[in-house]
Amino acid sequence: GRTDSQVLGDKPQVSWDDIAGLDHAKNGIMEMAVYPLMRPDFFRGLRVPPKGALLFGPPGTGKTLIGKCIAAQANATFFSISASSLTSKWVGEGEKMMRALFAVARCRQPSVIFIDEIDSLLSQRTDGEQDASRRIKTEFLIQLDGAATNADDQILIVGATNRPQELDEAVRRRLVKRYYVPLPEGAARRQIVARLLGTHSHSLTEEDIEEVVRLTAGYSGSDMTNLCKEAAMGPIRELTAHDIRNMRLEDVRSISFSDFQYALTQVRASVSENDLVLY
Ligand code: ATP
């Protein structure tokens, strides 16, 4: 998870190549977020891009990665905040926090404000918190509208949610561009595995990788990453404490297909078919 220190803007180093698949969302985002910052002169009048976008889809599919990538591509300052932390962590201060966030983003523009779990901006809570939650939402709408009416502000708000049906209508209406971020297809899963294995010695053939791809239908990008991490630990787990202390790195055996077969028994798809009906 993200830590508080990451709320305040930094410039992330994520490139589109780090994100497997998701061409639809990537292209849409380039058009509304990246190109307009590169060529403001092109994007006037009818071509003024919307200030808000929504990324929706199952957990662990790269929504946060896309948010970071936008900021990297646009050389913008990236602010990342989880909407649920606004209501829980800063009890009574959430509104102020929201206002401060937009104020800093305005100072440091171009900025991208990424709001994770944006559906929880209006989730049902106990009475006291419900009131706080409503005030935060109202403040958010005010700030969004402010950013939208001030044409000179270069602030893009990107909301992400796993539960689009729970998103408040007023919020949804303002996030004009909406992109579905689906589970990765075979080609994307292959790219994730190949990329992660790229930095290690391994003995998987093309056919082995193809088999891993076949066996991981329904896995999210995050599941694929966990699977590869689990497999990568295979060769290390065989070592004794003595080996760990004395062995040379080049003598550790390479990651094998059987490491993946074992990892597949440990790391399962985290998104069920029932969950997918939501999208
Ligand atoms: P959540 O809805 O749970 O916040 P998310 O959609 O924002 O999830 P990320 O945090 O972007 O998901 O992804 C989690 C991790 O999974 C990433 O850091 C990355 O390692 C891996 N991952 C997910 N999707 C992809 C993808 N399309 N390509 C490459 N890696 C991916």
Side-chain angles (χ1 to χ4, degrees):
R2 277 165 290 277
T3 58
D4 283 352
S5 61
Q6 284 169 294
V7 168
L8 285 189
D10 56 357
K11 306 234 171 186
Q13 294 308 317
V14 179
S15 86
W16 288 126
D17 293 341
D18 297 326
I19 307 176
L22 309 182
D23 291 339
H24 170 66
K26 285 190 207 172
N27 293 335
I29 290 287
M30 287 299 273
E31 181 183 298
M32 74 174 287
V34 182
Y35 295 154
L37 287 172
M38 285 178 183
R39 291 305 301 264
D41 55 331
F42 283 8
F43 291 86
R44 297 235 169 90
L46 291 176
R47 300 193 184 113
V48 169
K51 301 277 182 176
L54 178 70
L55 303 174
F56 67 97
T61 46
K63 295 182 287 298
T64 307
L65 279 182
I66 290 180
K68 286 187 176 166
C69 198
I70 298 169
Q73 290 292 309
N75 199 23
T77 318
F78 185 64
F79 298 84
S80 170
I81 196 159
S82 139
S84 66
S85 76
L86 273 182
T87 44
S88 61
K89 213 181 290 170
W90 291 287
V91 181
E93 304 281 299
E95 230 181 318
K96 250 189 257 170
M97 185 67 195
M98 182 68 82
R99 211 174 304 136
L101 178 65
F102 276 80
V104 178
R106 220 169 285 123
C107 289
R108 303 265 301 264
Q109 57 183 290
S111 294
V112 174
I113 301 180
F114 182 83
I115 305 182
D116 205 2
E117 300 173 74
I118 192 158
D119 50 276
S120 66
L121 271 186
L122 201 84
S123 60
Q124 293 299 318
R125 285 162 192 276
T126 55
D127 285 346
E129 283 178 31
Q130 204 173 329
D131 188 47
S133 158
R134 194 173 45 239
R135 288 204 312 268
I136 293 169
K137 194 202 84 170
T138 305
E139 186 60 40
F140 175 64
L141 296 178
I142 290 171
Q143 294 297 333
L144 256 184
D145 291 342
T149 45
N150 189 346
D152 294 334
D153 275 356
Q154 292 190 311
I155 301 177
L156 178 74
I157 295 94
V158 182
T161 179
N162 305 322
R163 294 172 300 197
Q165 73 289 354
E166 284 173 35
L167 194 59
D168 177 66
E169 180 53 31
V171 173
R172 209 178 67 92
R173 215 178 323 116
R174 285 164 171 88
L175 305 178
V176 179
K177 291 289 182 178
R178 298 166 203 146
Y179 301 102
Y180 178 43
V181 180
L183 290 175
E185 293 185 355
R189 297 199 301 279
R190 187 181 316 115
Q191 190 184 322
I192 293 173
V193 174
R195 186 164 263 270
L196 293 175
L197 280 181
T199 53
H200 291 272
S201 85
H202 71 85
S203 61
L204 279 82
T205 61
E206 282 301 316
E207 290 73 43
D208 292 337
I209 294 183
E210 217 38 63
E211 183 66 0
V212 172
V213 168
R214 203 181 59 77
L215 293 169
T216 49
Y219 278 55
S220 70
S222 166
D223 296 336
M224 293 307 289
T225 304
N226 291 336
L227 178 76
C228 292
K229 286 181 176 172
E230 184 65 30
M233 284 306 290
I236 300 295
R237 295 220 179 94
E238 292 164 2
L239 304 178
T240 62
H242 179 267
D243 292 337
I244 297 272
R245 221 174 294 118
N246 301 302
M247 209 169 174
R248 295 183 314 171
L249 174 62
E250 52 270 37
D251 293 333
V252 176
R253 79 161 169 80
S254 38
I255 302 166
S256 67
F257 181 59
S258 14
D259 291 321
F260 271 89
Q261 286 175 311
Y262 175 73
L264 281 162
T265 67
Q266 301 301 303
V267 181
R268 303 277 181 191
S270 59
V271 182
S272 75
E273 296 213 4
N274 286 344
D275 297 336
L276 287 177
V277 176
L278 298 177
Y279 315 103

